Structures are given as structure tokens and as C-alpha cells.
Amino acid sequence: FFLIFCRSVALFGFCTSLFVSNSTTRTIMNSPSKPESLTRPRIPQRMGSARERSGSGGRPGSASNLLYEKDNRTAYLEKHELGRQNSFSSQYKKSTRGKINLWWASYSIEFRELVVYLLFLMVYSIICFGPAGTTIDRYQLKSDLSNNVHPQFSSSVSSKENWYTFMESTLLPNLYSTELGDPTDRGPYMFAADGVNLRIGTVRIRLVRVEDDKKNLPSAFADELEHLYPKLNYDSNMETANYNLTNGYVELKWKSGDSLGNSGSIYSTSTGFSYPPSGYAIDLPKGLSNSTNELAQLKAGDLLDAATRAVFVDYSLYNANTDEFAVVTLMSQFLATGGVDSEVKMRVQPLLAMYRVLTGDNAAMIWQLLVFLEMVLYFLVFLLLYREYTAYRALGAEIYFSDAFAILDILNYTLFIIVMCLRMNLASQLWSLDGDLTDDNGVDFINLTAVAATFSSTESAMSFNAIITFFKVFKYLRPVRRLALFTETLRLASGDMAYMCIVIAVILLAFGTSFNLGFGSELSGYMTLPVAVLSLFKAMLGDFDLDSLVEVNYALGPFLFVLFIFLVFFVILSMFLSIVDESYDVVRTALEEQEEAGNIEPLERDLSRFKNEVKHVIFYVVHSITGLSVTSSSKVAPMPIESPLKNDQPQNILQLDMVAEDKESGGGGGRGGGGELKQDGSGGGAVEFGRMRNDLAVEATPVAEVLTGAFNQLDELGGQQNEMLKILRNLESRLVKHKKKLDKK
């Protein structure tokens, strides 16, 4: 661990030298006014429709402007970076550190930013995929617990009487099976029936009741009905008065969610109801016999009466083999219609993993490394956030937020900070529960639902942030034209796609309302408007049930279904795909034009250079270890130039013409010399061939001079073109300033 700490200090120094100690950043931050080169946006703006962009002649979205071009901020940084390199002393350049800095600075800024972000992504990937084994263990533990008790709960609890039977014969015997040691010494710690999972604390039963609404009884049934218990509307009609059992066994008091230690509501996926975290709580005593007697007294006092709308059974288990907790809630809903719906809410999480590392409680080495890397990750996040802040200060809000990736950066780093705060909150909650977890004679319920909810929120934020973190790789690979094809196509099509998404949303809302009104009372897939919209979205992907619609209404069902499929599949989706296809063609045309022009981006050049350097290093290491002579590339030696008349076979086109003329003259003599061709290469033919070669060389000399002059003129034209581009950019910046002044006036 000490070696890891030393390496972390070196890593911090390396990251600091990359981000904080960069003189270019300090130059931008300390500059009293923005330079002229920072007045243009980082990415060309999208102008005109796709048809205008695909047109010809003076279109604002010309193909040369569609793909990535180096922004002025990068050029400005490169300029000051070059000045910083020139300020290095000769002695510093000869040192090892100076050589490394010069080697690193010899790469372009795009390449260096890509390397730094890949290092950041590597640390993030290790943190995400490091505990991959625990994910498998969590799934397996949840599956094992579900197979033991929960199938019986979901299938057997169909009435209030069945709930009492399940509690007495199934749940309590499984939770209060074998005590660990002396029950008076280790009261709350008891094994479940499997002998592996340890129960933490006791079992809590929580009731949610609804108020008696008898004043709204219909007058026609006022004599027959004495009470009216409607469905629960969260906490608007929830009963909060004290509840006395009929046998006078106990008086139950209503408690808020904060006093019970619960956070957030509980949502039922089957009925769509949400239940508040408050209610009437009963903590069962320790021991199987005591808990069974307590439950019998509650049953005799009519605990689950007509006003009860939901009952929750909460308990927690701990598996020491995998160091994971299972926080379980068994929810039974007694609906206003008279039915009973049962669900199981279970969260299997390594709640103590990070806490054990922070407190030094014999944590595994892998978790120590992961917690350390997570701290390094947060350090890098703050450095990257500081870098974005400097860019924002230098470019201004309008130019900075013109790049969509800048918004992704802010969202990405904000989510990282939220995750860090949730981690700190989780550690604080565990710190407050540490005394309860180690209480030797406690018999109270240990509530871990709030801790589990915080852990779930952390994982949810991390799961969404993972998409943004990996998607940002495209930001640094934009100069690579082949990889920029995806992002540029998405950027060009984003405007039209946004309008099409609005059209799709309106159609889904319209048909969702129609299907909810027509089939909501018959089919569960359309019982509410959000559920109906989700079912229609699944139908867009091919998941639909036409037979159920026909059974409900044989005329309206097929009509609405065919109309929806026709509009969505044959019209909307076709238009959506045509927008993407047209933008793709425009970007691909721009890519081909840039490739034909022979333009090579600095990042592409640096990637090729870095690949060759890595190849040389690998070959050097292999040579040092094995002693074999390995070359990085197979070079073919040039073929020696031989005499064209070494043998009697023609060697090239000139000799072939000479042999043909010799045959036409009726002999083997050379051209004009009458010499005979010989096998040893002598004779007048060789002399004649040499003279012809000299004549061709003399004739080719003026052609080469003309080509050289043409290339020189092309170089001059290229220089003039660069000067004209600079002048045009200055004119553009002046026009922008002038336009801003006019707008202010």
C-alpha cells in the first residue's frame, strides 16, 4: 500500500504538470483581453437545411467546412506552447526531464488531450469493472434468496388470512431458525434457515391505512353501508390517528418516514401505486417463539382491517462470504376492489465495502485499490473541471457553449461530483449505523433501507454517467476524419431530427390517449397514459399483441393498430431515416474532398508517429531480451542496374525497339553502325543504345525544369492562399465585432 501511495504522488505530479502548471493556461487566464484568435467558435456552425448543405456553389455549409477544423483556441495554445519550448535553457534540454518534456511537447495538443483523457478513462474503467465479480455474486445471492421464500409469497398471499399463514409457517421459521451463540449475548445476529445468511436486527411490519370517507357515501346506500374506504391517494387521504386493536393488545401510533428511518416512496410495478414511507410500525421481538406469539396477538386484534391498504415486511440479511447485504421488503397491497397484490423489493449491495476501507476494518486489497483509484478519479475530475473553467473564461459563454461537447463536459463532471457527494453521504449513514451493527444486546429493528436507497442512487448516477464518459471519446477523435463521420452526421442531422422527435412525441401522445380510453379498462398494457405510450413505443419496435386488441373490440382495435403502424412505420420512421441518410451523404462527400486534397490532420500524423515509436520500443525490448536482430520494417534492397545487353533477351522497351529494327534490316547489326550483336554485350548496338540514352536524358532535362518551376509556383500559390485565409479570418472577426456593436446600438 505504501508503494501504491508513492506511485499516486507521482501520478498527481504528472497530472498537475499536464493541467495546472501549463503556462498557456496561465497566459489565457492572466490576459487582460481576449485575443483576436479566440473570437471564432470551436466548431463550424450548422447553417441551412440538409438540402441547402448538399447544394452547390457558395453554400454556407460547404463540404470543406462540415468536418472538424482546428479551433483558434488550439492554435493559440500551440503558439504559446512553442514559445515556452523555445524558452527552455540548453542545459535543461539536455537533462532527462527536459528530453521527456520536449518529446511530449513535440506532439500536437489534440494528441496530448486524447492521451490524457484515455488515461482518465482507463482509471474510470478499472473502477467500474474492478468489482465485476461482486456483481455476479450480488445476482446469485438475490436469485438464491428469491428461490427460497419469495415465490411462495407472490403466489400464496391472495387474502389477509393467507398473509398470516405465510408469516407464521414460511417467513418467520426461515428468518428465526438458528441463533448464533448465546441469544442473550448476540441477540440481533441470527442465521437464517440456510445457515449462511445472517439476519441483521429484527423484523418490522409497517401498515399504511386510509381514512374513512363515509360522508361521501351515496344516499341510496347510506343505510346499508357504515364505512367507505377508497383507494389511497398517496398521503392526501392517509390515516394518521392512533390505531387501537380490537382486543386492546396494543395501540399503534402513526410515525413519519423520517422517524422510521425511511427515505422515498415505494412504487408498485404491477398496480402503478406509490406508497409513502410513513405508517404504523411494529417491530417483532427476537426469537421464533416470541415473534410467533406477537403475530398471533396482532391477528387476534384484527391488525389488517378494511382500512388497511398496504402492509410491508422489512428485514435485512448479511452474507459474510461475499460481504454483501440483502435489504428485503415484502409488499402486500389490499386494493379497494377487494383483491390482493404481492411484490418483493430486494436490493443486494456491498454496503460496507468502502466503509471498511476508510475505517481500516480488514478490507480486501481489491477494494482498497478501487477506493484509492476512485479518489484519484475525483482528483482528475477537478483538474479537468478547472481546465474547462479556464477555457470558459478565455472563450466566453457564447463561443464556449456553441460546442455540444462542452455541454456534455459540464454534465459529465457534475454527475461525478454528485456521485462523490452520494459516496460521502453513504459513508456518513454507515458511520451513524456502526453502533447499531455492533450492538450486542440490541433487539431493535436496524433500518438499512435508507442506506440501500443511497447506494442505488449512486449506481444510477454512475450508470447514466458511463454513457457520457465513453461517448466523450468522440470529442477527442474528431480530427480523425473516418471517426468523425458519426459525430458530424449526428450534428448535421440534429436540427431536423429534433423536429421529427416532436412529431413522434405528438403521435405517441395522441394514440396513447386513444388506446388508454378504448382499452385501458380491459388490458393492463394500456391502463394508464404512461403505460399506454410505453406499450405503443414497444409496438414501434415490433413487440405488439394484436389478438388482445381484437378480443376487446374487433372493429376499433384493428383500425387503430393499422393506422398507428402506417403512420409510424411507413411515414415517420422513413422520414427519420432519410434525414440521417442525407446528412451522412453530405459528410461523406466532405470527407472524400478532404482526402483528395491530401490534408493530414495533426492528430492523424501523431497517431501514426506514436504507433511507430511503440513498435520501435517493442522491437528494442524483444532484442534486449532475446538477443535477436528484429527490425521494425522490412526494407527491400534496390535491384542493381545491369546492362540491357547482358544477354540476347531484350531487357526494356528501348532494347525491344532496337532488336525489332535489326530484324527489319535483315541482320543482327546495330542501328547505323552495322555492328553485330554479341552474347558478351559488345558491338555497335551497345554504343548506339548508349547514345540514345544520352539523347533522351538531354531531352528530359527541360521537361524536369518545367515541372520544377510548376511545383515552385504551386508552393507560392499555397503560401498566398494561406495569407488570404489569414486576411479573411481577420475580416471575419472584425465583421463579428462590428455586428455586435450594431446590435447593441
Side-chain angles (χ1 to χ4, degrees):
F1 194 78
F2 178 73
L3 291 177
I4 295 176
F5 175 75
C6 294
R7 291 171 183 171
S8 68
V9 174
L11 178 62
F12 287 170
F14 173 72
C15 297
T16 305
S17 64
L18 289 178
F19 295 95
V20 180
S21 300
N22 194 336
S23 63
T24 59
T25 303
R26 292 197 302 268
T27 303
I28 293 180
M29 290 300 298
N30 297 330
S31 58
S33 60
K34 298 178 184 178
E36 295 293 333
S37 58
L38 295 181
T39 57
R40 297 180 67 236
R42 302 173 64 183
I43 293 181
Q45 295 294 313
R46 180 183 180 275
M47 301 178 62
S49 62
R51 185 174 300 277
E52 293 174 352
R53 294 192 302 271
S54 61
S56 60
R59 60 185 184 274
S62 178
S64 60
N65 293 328
L66 289 177
L67 298 181
Y68 171 83
E69 62 182 24
K70 183 186 298 183
D71 53 87
N72 294 283
R73 170 177 172 269
T74 304
Y76 183 75
L77 293 177
E78 288 180 348
K79 177 181 177 181
H80 286 272
E81 179 69 17
L82 181 60
R84 188 175 71 90
Q85 298 173 25
N86 295 333
S87 64
F88 290 161
S89 62
S90 58
Q91 183 179 2
Y92 176 77
K93 292 179 180 180
K94 293 180 181 179
S95 63
T96 304
R97 182 181 177 185
K99 292 179 180 179
I100 295 176
N101 283 339
L102 288 176
W103 171 80
W104 175 251
S106 63
Y107 286 98
S108 62
I109 290 183
E110 293 93 337
F111 178 82
R112 283 179 285 172
E113 288 184 345
L114 174 62
V115 171
V116 171
Y117 189 75
L118 289 179
L119 292 175
F120 172 81
L121 196 61
M122 181 182 65
V123 176
Y124 178 76
S125 300
I126 293 174
I127 295 173
C128 292
F129 302 112
T134 61
T135 306
I136 300 175
D137 295 337
R138 290 166 60 183
Y139 173 79
Q140 190 63 42
L141 178 59
K142 183 176 182 179
S143 177
D144 293 340
L145 293 176
S146 300
N147 294 333
N148 292 336
V149 178
H150 302 151
Q152 304 178 33
F153 174 73
S154 301
S155 60
S156 62
V157 179
S158 58
S159 64
K160 296 178 181 179
E161 187 65 28
N162 294 144
W163 183 86
Y164 288 113
T165 304
F166 169 79
M167 292 290 294
E168 294 174 353
S169 61
T170 304
L171 182 63
L172 293 181
N174 278 274
L175 295 181
Y176 292 84
S177 178
T178 305
E179 297 183 354
L180 178 62
D182 187 359
T184 61
D185 187 27
R186 301 280 292 182
Y189 298 92
M190 302 179 184
F191 277 114
D194 53 14
V196 177
N197 297 301
L198 200 65
R199 179 174 52 82
I200 306 298
T202 59
V203 179
R204 169 172 290 180
I205 300 175
R206 180 170 63 92
L207 278 73
V208 176
R209 297 167 51 84
V210 67
E211 293 180 344
D212 187 0
D213 195 18
K214 59 183 178 180
K215 62 179 181 296
N216 290 326
L217 280 172
S219 57
F221 303 99
D223 297 335
E224 288 78 8
L225 300 177
E226 297 180 358
H227 304 283
L228 176 63
Y229 298 105
K231 69 176 183 178
L232 182 69
N233 294 324
Y234 200 65
D235 57 354
S236 61
N237 60 344
M238 181 176 58
E239 184 179 358
T240 59
N242 293 343
Y243 174 41
N244 294 310
L245 298 182
T246 56
N247 60 354
Y249 175 69
V250 68
E251 182 183 14
L252 301 180
K253 296 182 179 181
W254 180 88
K255 295 181 180 180
S256 63
D258 295 335
S259 61
L260 293 175
N262 298 332
S263 62
S265 59
I266 298 180
Y267 177 76
S268 172
T269 56
S270 59
T271 61
F273 295 156
S274 294
Y275 295 93
S278 56
Y280 302 88
I282 305 106
D283 295 340
L284 297 181
K286 65 177 182 179
L288 178 59
S289 58
N290 296 333
S291 298
T292 305
N293 294 333
E294 180 78 9
L295 186 62
Q297 293 292 336
L298 295 175
K299 179 180 179 181
D302 195 14
L303 177 67
L304 306 180
D305 60 355
T308 303
R309 283 292 167 261
V311 58
F312 305 91
V313 181
D314 298 325
Y315 61 92
S316 301
L317 300 174
Y318 174 69
N319 190 295
N321 299 328
T322 59
D323 193 19
E324 291 165 351
F325 286 84
V327 183
V328 186
T329 298
L330 305 180
M331 177 174 61
S332 297
Q333 305 174 75
F334 302 100
L335 305 177
T337 56
V340 179
D341 187 89
S342 301
E343 294 183 31
V344 179
K345 305 290 184 180
M346 183 190 305
R347 296 169 177 168
V348 178
Q349 300 162 340
L351 299 178
L352 287 180
M354 178 179 290
Y355 181 76
R356 292 180 62 183
V357 175
L358 298 178
T359 56
D361 185 16
N362 299 325
M365 188 63 188
I366 180 64
W367 283 107
Q368 296 181 23
L369 180 60
L370 290 175
V371 171
F372 168 75
L373 288 179
E374 189 168 355
M375 294 181 180
V376 174
L377 180 71
Y378 296 145
F379 177 78
L380 295 177
V381 166
F382 280 107
L383 290 179
L384 291 170
L385 189 60
Y386 175 75
R387 187 180 181 87
E388 293 300 322
Y389 173 73
T390 58
Y392 173 80
R393 288 283 303 273
L395 299 173
E398 182 179 358
I399 299 178
Y400 178 80
F401 288 107
S402 63
D403 186 3
F405 280 106
I407 302 176
L408 280 183
D409 287 334
I410 299 301
L411 181 60
N412 183 222
Y413 301 142
T414 303
L415 287 175
F416 272 118
I417 295 175
I418 291 175
V419 169
M420 183 182 65
C421 295
L422 289 175
R423 292 285 197 191
M424 296 172 61
N425 185 26
L426 178 64
S428 175
Q429 290 176 342
L430 291 172
W431 189 280
S432 62
L433 286 174
D434 184 61
D436 296 334
L437 293 176
T438 58
D439 189 9
D440 290 337
N441 54 6
V443 295
D444 295 333
F445 171 76
I446 300 176
N447 196 347
L448 296 179
T449 55
V451 182
T454 303
F455 193 93
S456 299
S457 301
T458 305
E459 288 189 327
S460 300
M462 291 179 62
S463 63
F464 179 73
N465 199 23
I467 301 175
I468 304 176
T469 303
F470 282 93
F471 190 81
K472 279 175 54 180
V473 174
F474 293 106
K475 168 187 175 182
Y476 300 96
L477 293 176
R478 281 184 297 177
V480 182
R481 288 186 289 266
R482 289 295 182 183
L483 296 177
L485 191 61
F486 167 70
T487 55
E488 294 301 317
T489 301
L490 190 62
R491 181 176 66 87
L492 288 178
S494 59
D496 296 332
M497 288 170 61
Y499 288 109
M500 290 305 304
C501 288
I502 295 176
V503 174
I504 294 176
V506 172
I507 291 179
L508 285 177
L509 184 61
F511 278 90
T513 304
S514 175
F515 275 81
N516 174 246
L517 295 176
F519 309 98
S521 60
E522 302 289 341
L523 301 176
S524 61
Y526 308 100
M527 60 181 181
T528 61
L529 180 60
V531 174
V533 171
L534 182 61
S535 299
L536 292 177
F537 185 79
K538 292 167 61 178
M540 292 173 57
L541 304 177
D543 185 8
F544 52 85
D545 187 8
L546 180 59
D547 295 335
S548 60
L549 297 176
V550 175
E551 290 178 1
V552 175
N553 193 325
Y554 69 91
L556 183 62
F559 173 74
L560 291 179
F561 177 78
V562 171
L563 182 60
F564 174 76
I565 293 298
F566 175 77
L567 288 177
V568 172
F569 274 91
F570 298 102
V571 180
I572 302 299
L573 292 183
S574 299
M575 295 172 61
F576 197 89
L577 294 177
S578 65
I579 292 172
V580 178
D581 185 63
E582 185 177 359
S583 300
Y584 175 81
D585 292 337
V586 174
V587 175
R588 187 179 59 181
T589 302
L591 176 64
E592 293 175 354
E593 291 182 3
Q594 290 196 3
E595 288 183 349
E596 292 175 358
N599 299 329
I600 300 178
E601 296 292 339
L603 181 59
E604 296 177 330
R605 182 185 65 248
D606 290 341
L607 288 174
S608 177
R609 171 192 164 189
F610 184 75
K611 180 182 70 174
N612 294 331
E613 290 181 351
V614 172
K615 190 185 300 182
H616 286 307
V617 171
I618 295 175
F619 291 146
Y620 175 77
V621 172
V622 173
H623 174 69
S624 301
I625 296 175
T626 62
L628 299 177
S629 178
V630 184
T631 57
S632 61
S633 60
S634 57
K635 296 182 179 180
V636 181
M639 298 181 61
I641 300 176
E642 299 179 353
S643 173
L645 299 178
K646 187 174 182 179
N647 49 47
D648 56 350
Q649 297 297 328
Q651 301 294 325
N652 50 33
I653 296 177
L654 293 177
Q655 185 185 357
L656 190 64
D657 294 340
M658 182 178 65
V659 173
E661 291 183 2
D662 289 341
K663 290 183 178 181
E664 291 177 359
S665 61
R671 183 178 302 175
E676 187 178 7
L677 292 174
K678 299 180 180 180
Q679 296 295 332
D680 57 357
S682 61
V687 177
E688 178 67 16
F689 180 76
R691 187 180 62 80
M692 292 174 60
R693 183 175 60 185
N694 295 334
D695 293 343
L696 288 174
V698 172
E699 293 177 359
T701 301
V703 178
E705 293 178 354
V706 172
L707 291 176
T708 303
F711 283 122
N712 293 334
Q713 292 180 2
L714 288 176
D715 293 338
E716 293 178 359
L717 290 175
Q720 294 177 3
Q721 184 181 7
N722 293 333
E723 294 295 331
M724 290 297 295
L725 287 176
K726 293 180 180 178
I727 295 174
L728 289 175
R729 288 176 180 174
N730 292 331
L731 289 175
E732 183 182 5
S733 62
R734 293 179 182 178
L735 287 174
V736 171
K737 290 183 178 179
H738 185 64
K739 184 178 180 301
K740 290 182 179 180
K741 293 180 180 179
L742 291 177
D743 293 339
K744 290 181 180 179
K745 292 182 179 180

